[in-house]
Amino acid sequence: MIFSLLESIYLFFPLLGSLIFFFGIKSQRKNYVVVALWLSLISLVLHYRASGGEILGSYFNVYHAATYSFNLLVLIAIILYLLLTSFSKQGKFLAYSAAFLSAILITGSALLLSNLWINAYFVENRLAGTPILQVATFTKQPYCDYKYVFYKVSADKAVWFMCPNHYGLLPSLGQLPSAPNFVVKQLPLQLQSLFEDVSKEL
């Protein structure tokens, strides 16, 4: 019951917020825009807390990524509207500052959404019944410089990895030639036999 209520909030709040936002623009009443801002912000915070405070991981599948993206886009549109309408007529310095902040906001949001959808693709395209594994390694792997690496078994029974921040800003995906033992040992018992003949330490 609680789960379904939260799921509806993630979708209902940004939908309601977008309607109030457009009504606020049309009627030129900023108090409606501020209400829409709070609705989207509350939904975004609740959604982020439900994910465990992590953008990468098993929580953000395609559905959650879609609702989170929609909510974020509504929130960004509201913030941009408030920035540009509040400071555009307050002198060149404030107008340029608002434009600069808007550019930072758009760039940051684009990077966040890119991370979100790369993760969603990684999460969705996996063998049914297999988990997403987050493994901490004491030594860096040749395919990832990050301490924590995500692994999955794809539908064609190949082992894939996702390396967070491989490019500094975006995660990278790749397929391993064989299944590492530390990944095989964390799979369900009925699936470990699929890899026992070919697994080896990388």
Side-chain angles (χ1 to χ4, degrees), residues 17-31:
S18 62
L19 291 175
I20 296 174
F21 174 50
F22 287 123
F23 180 77
I25 293 176
K26 188 175 181 179
S27 61
Q28 295 185 344
R29 299 183 65 175
K30 284 191 177 180
N31 55 331

Side-chain angles (χ1 to χ4, degrees), residues 146-197:
Y146 202 69
K147 183 179 179 181
Y148 295 95
V149 186
F150 293 90
Y151 296 92
K152 72 166 184 180
V153 179
S154 62
D156 59 355
K157 300 181 178 61
V159 176
W160 284 70
F161 69 88
M162 179 171 65
C163 179
N165 300 322
H166 180 68
Y167 304 116
L169 298 171
L170 296 174
S172 64
L173 305 178
Q175 182 178 340
L176 296 176
S178 59
N181 284 337
F182 60 80
V183 172
V184 174
K185 290 177 181 178
Q186 297 186 62
L187 294 174
L189 291 175
Q190 64 270 25
L191 293 171
Q192 291 185 16
S193 60
L194 295 173
F195 303 98
E196 61 184 5
D197 295 330

Side-chain angles (χ1 to χ4, degrees), residues 15-83:
L15 280 173
L16 181 61
S18 62
L19 291 175
I20 296 174
F21 174 50
F22 287 123
F23 180 77
I25 293 176
K26 188 175 181 179
S27 61
Q28 295 185 344
R29 299 183 65 175
K30 284 191 177 180
N31 55 331
Y32 284 98
V33 178
V34 172
V35 170
L37 174 69
W38 278 107
L39 282 173
S40 295
L41 189 59
I42 290 170
S43 177
L44 200 70
V45 170
L46 289 175
H47 209 168
Y48 186 69
R49 287 178 62 86
S51 72
E54 295 182 354
I55 295 299
L56 302 180
S58 59
Y59 178 81
F60 278 108
N61 55 22
V62 169
Y63 173 76
H64 286 148
T67 55
Y68 193 88
S69 299
F70 175 66
N71 194 10
L72 183 64
L73 290 172
V74 171
L75 182 64
I76 296 305
I78 295 171
I79 293 174
L80 290 176
Y81 173 81
L82 290 173
L83 275 175

